[in-house]
Amino acid sequence: MMKLDASGRKKFRIKNKLKKVVKSKRFRLSVSRSSKNISAQIIDDLQGSTLVSASTLDKNLQNKLKKAASKINQSKLVGEALAAKAKVKDIEKVVFDRNGLPYHGRVKALADGARAGGLVF
């Protein structure tokens, strides 16, 4: 096994904790963030496929995102859009995978938006 840096070790610990919950047939809501964009996807780890995804780069969200005052508001809109897409596919319960990112700011706003849209985690 290769040596991991601090962020790699944190990510590894989080993934190991999530493995226990994912075995209970819950889907995983994974968040990835860059300095400009944020994206989230709901993943079925047993099948190895992405079921639903939403991002600030989505064409359908561009009109709403332009009206948002900040990146935090954009993140909340992405969370709500993801929850709406998940409802169409009858997904209600997920496990939140923050992917080693701290749970504040845009990551927290995305989670709050997803909860407001009806996802439970």
Side-chain angles (χ1 to χ4, degrees):
M1 187 169 142
M2 65 184 236
K3 191 169 182 175
L4 299 172
D5 59 344
S7 64
R9 286 192 301 270
K10 185 187 299 183
K11 206 172 188 179
F12 185 76
R13 283 195 310 266
I14 292 169
K15 294 284 184 203
N16 276 336
K17 289 178 185 176
L18 287 175
K19 281 181 188 176
K20 296 172 188 171
V21 181
V22 169
K23 286 182 182 175
S24 67
K25 297 183 182 165
R26 272 188 159 189
F27 301 123
R28 179 168 53 101
L29 191 161
S30 180
V31 177
S32 57
R33 183 197 70 186
S34 71
S35 60
K36 292 185 179 182
N37 298 304
I38 192 162
S39 64
Q41 53 187 353
I42 297 178
I43 302 167
D44 181 1
D45 287 317
L46 300 176
Q47 297 287 325
S49 62
T50 299
L51 304 173
V52 178
S53 66
S55 171
T56 52
L57 300 173
D58 285 350
K59 302 278 185 201
N60 301 335
L61 290 175
Q62 289 302 314
N63 291 334
K64 290 182 182 178
L65 294 174
K66 286 179 184 175
K67 296 175 186 174
S70 67
K71 289 186 212 173
I72 290 178
N73 293 341
Q74 289 180 352
S75 298
K76 188 168 186 170
L77 290 172
V78 170
E80 290 170 357
L82 183 77
K85 288 180 182 181
K87 268 191 174 179
V88 170
K89 293 207 173 188
D90 294 329
I91 300 171
E92 292 181 4
K93 293 186 177 183
V94 295
V95 177
F96 189 70
D97 177 12
R98 58 189 173 87
N99 223 356
L101 300 168
Y103 185 79
H104 69 87
R106 292 190 284 156
V107 175
K108 184 176 186 294
L110 189 138
D112 291 341
R115 283 191 189 105
L119 286 179
V120 177
F121 53 92

